Amino acid sequence: MARTQGSHSDITGPRIREAALGLFARHGYAAVSMRQIAGEVGVQAGALYNYTPDKQSLLFRLMRDHMQDLLAAYEELEQFDDPQDALRQFVGFHIRFHLQRPDEVFIAYMELRNLTPENFTEIEALRRRYEDSLESILRIGQQSDQFSVTDTKIATLAVIAMLNGVITWYRSGGRLSLDEVEQVYWDMVRKAVTA
Amino acid sequence: MARTQGSHSDITGPRIREAALGLFARHGYAAVSMRQIAGEVGVQAGALYNYTPDKQSLLFRLMRDHMQDLLAAYEELEQFDDPQDALRQFVGFHIRFHLQRPDEVFIAYMELRNLTPENFTEIEALRRRYEDSLESILRIGQQSDQFSVTDTKIATLAVIAMLNGVITWYRSGGRLSLDEVEQVYWDMVRKAVTA
DNA sequence: GTCTATACTAAGATAGAC
DNA sequence: GTCTATCTTAGTATAGAC
């Protein structure tokens, strides 16, 4: 018979994280109970509190780590001088990164309102940093007349909104390959910001 | 002293709807309690059940009515033969309609997963009908070579995703007028789908 | 139609045994 | 580190008085 007690600190922590990630993404933070999370991990609810001070921290850490991973991955990319190259890279990076982490992305967009004010401020700052990196590409391209957008801030938000739409419908193994999806979106983004 | 009892059937119903709308939009369906809604209306929680069989119906009716209003308003518009005219009209209509009803729109996008399966199916069908009206504009324009998109279905979703981004940042009285916003987005959409 | 009161269930979190 | 047990609060929904 499987033991029901004992020490598993090194595996339980990650499993709690995984379970919370999946459940929050599927049902929403507010609709998920600590007991559900515990059930998925295979421990009792009380045991979760050896790993997190409370439910809010579980959400916050998922979101913060996701945003930090996103920024770190983006900032490691090759730097292009040509804004068109940089934009193409951004589009490809954004689509691939987000499709690899659908649950994290979903949570990052849907659960902002369930963060405490302090936590919200911190996540917003990270999100803002990412948006700014796209806006600076558009601004440089605008100054060199390679791009033609009425408003770089709005164009930034419009491009990101458009790209985020991918995760609502893309399924790997579907009609289009990842390369094709990337190509289709790059085509639309390029045309939208060009004269 | 204000009376705390009595008949108010004609005003309480709409007020419950308003309160639920605002609270669901702000905090999310799962995070809002019937007591909170009742508190906002100024009645006791039990009184809500004279107007709705349960909390789920409150959500479902808000979403269904919103989608029906959207479709009815769109279908009343002038029919254009030229796909470019039709697309321009769609962009303007979508932005204006959505900015006039930010709470309904927010709920319609965020709370799909909190619908029962039957209710979800019904809302999805309505949403699909709306998307199809845009796709048919793009398809006609594609056939006449006025538009050039790799895939009309993806282009449809991309355009709607881009336009929906407006409601996350637009505030009336802000830097740009509604006409200017409409113009900026029309400019991007037109270019994105044109050769 | 609304109130008070409550049945019933479940939530987040903690205490102490093992 | 996990379990069982429990505290405390709050949820949806209903019953019956007014």
Side-chain angles (χ1 to χ4, degrees):
Chain A
M1 176 166 164
R3 70 173 173 179
T4 55
Q5 294 201 352
S7 242
H8 304 280
S9 67
D10 41 353
I11 55 170
T12 303
R15 290 192 52 195
I16 290 172
R17 197 192 156 83
E18 295 285 304
L21 177 69
L23 288 168
F24 289 168
R26 205 155 34 254
H27 306 294
Y29 173 77
V32 171
S33 71
M34 295 298 267
R35 284 176 172 79
Q36 270 180 280
I37 297 170
E40 189 121 315
V41 173
V43 297
Q44 292 301 311
L48 300 182
Y49 292 88
N50 289 315
Y51 299 90
T52 180
D54 49 31
K55 191 184 172 192
Q56 169 71 204
S57 297
L58 223 40
L59 175 63
F60 173 63
R61 287 174 193 169
L62 285 171
M63 291 178 73
R64 185 199 51 194
D65 292 352
H66 169 65
M67 293 307 298
Q68 285 175 343
D69 288 351
L70 174 68
L71 280 164
Y74 181 71
E75 287 165 4
E76 264 180 18
L77 294 178
E78 184 185 351
Q79 301 287 313
F80 287 108
D81 286 332
D82 180 32
Q84 175 134 337
D85 291 339
L87 182 58
R88 175 167 207 158
Q89 183 186 53
F90 183 93
V91 169
F93 167 77
H94 188 93
I95 290 176
R96 284 174 191 275
F97 191 91
H98 283 63
L99 286 181
Q100 278 162 9
R101 295 162 177 78
D103 286 349
E104 284 90 340
V105 172
F106 211 67
I107 290 171
Y109 274 85
M110 302 283 273
E111 304 298 352
L112 285 166
R113 62 185 168 188
N114 285 310
L115 291 171
T116 60
E118 305 76 43
N119 288 343
F120 176 79
T121 302
E122 191 166 337
I123 299 297
E124 267 296 288
L126 294 170
R127 203 174 55 75
R128 184 61 186 262
R129 242 177 76 197
Y130 183 63
E131 286 177 9
D132 285 348
S133 63
L134 172 57
E135 192 182 358
S136 83
I137 293 172
L138 295 179
R139 204 172 35 241
I140 292 168
Q142 177 77 5
Q143 283 159 0
S144 64
D145 285 334
Q146 290 177 83
F147 296 155
S148 170
V149 292
T150 317
D151 186 299
T152 54
K153 184 68 193 163
I154 294 178
T156 298
L157 297 172
V159 168
I160 289 181
M162 184 198 275
L163 296 180
N164 283 343
V166 182
I167 67 156
T168 65
W169 61 264
Y170 181 82
R171 296 294 171 269
S172 78
R175 189 160 55 85
L176 290 150
S177 72
L178 193 47
D179 281 343
E180 287 169 325
V181 170
E182 208 181 304
Q183 182 58 49
V184 168
Y185 275 89
W186 164 238
D187 191 50
M188 287 189 288
V189 169
R190 178 183 53 73
K191 289 193 291 183
V193 303
T194 306
Chain B
M1 176 168 165
R3 70 174 175 180
T4 55
Q5 294 200 352
S7 242
H8 305 280
S9 67
D10 41 352
I11 55 171
T12 303
R15 289 191 55 195
I16 290 172
R17 197 192 156 83
E18 295 285 304
L21 177 68
L23 288 168
F24 289 167
R26 205 157 31 254
H27 306 294
Y29 173 77
V32 171
S33 71
M34 294 299 265
R35 286 192 226 279
Q36 269 179 280
I37 297 170
E40 189 121 315
V41 173
V43 297
Q44 292 300 311
L48 299 182
Y49 293 87
N50 290 317
Y51 298 91
T52 180
D54 50 30
K55 191 184 172 191
Q56 169 71 202
S57 297
L58 224 39
L59 175 64
F60 173 62
R61 287 174 192 169
L62 285 172
M63 292 178 73
R64 185 199 51 195
D65 293 351
H66 169 65
M67 292 307 298
Q68 284 175 343
D69 288 350
L70 173 69
L71 281 164
Y74 181 70
E75 286 166 5
E76 265 181 16
L77 294 178
E78 183 185 351
Q79 300 287 314
F80 287 107
D81 286 332
D82 180 32
Q84 175 135 338
D85 290 340
L87 182 59
R88 174 167 207 156
Q89 183 187 53
F90 184 93
V91 169
F93 167 78
H94 188 92
I95 289 176
R96 284 174 191 275
F97 191 92
H98 283 62
L99 286 181
Q100 277 161 10
R101 294 162 177 79
D103 286 349
E104 283 90 341
V105 172
F106 211 66
I107 291 170
Y109 274 84
M110 304 282 274
E111 304 298 352
L112 284 167
R113 62 184 168 190
N114 284 312
L115 291 171
T116 61
E118 305 77 41
N119 289 344
F120 176 80
T121 302
E122 191 166 337
I123 299 296
E124 268 296 287
L126 294 170
R127 202 174 57 73
R128 185 60 186 261
R129 243 178 75 199
Y130 184 64
E131 286 177 8
D132 285 348
S133 63
L134 172 58
E135 192 182 359
S136 83
I137 293 171
L138 295 179
R139 205 173 36 242
I140 292 168
Q142 177 77 4
Q143 283 160 359
S144 64
D145 285 334
Q146 290 178 82
F147 298 154
S148 170
V149 293
T150 318
D151 185 298
T152 55
K153 184 69 192 162
I154 294 180
T156 297
L157 297 173
V159 167
I160 289 180
M162 185 199 274
L163 296 180
N164 283 342
V166 183
I167 68 154
T168 64
W169 61 265
Y170 181 82
R171 296 295 172 267
S172 79
R175 189 159 55 85
L176 290 153
S177 72
L178 194 48
D179 281 343
E180 288 168 325
V181 171
E182 207 181 304
Q183 182 58 48
V184 169
Y185 275 88
W186 164 238
D187 192 50
M188 287 188 288
V189 169
R190 179 182 52 74
K191 290 193 292 183
V193 303
T194 306

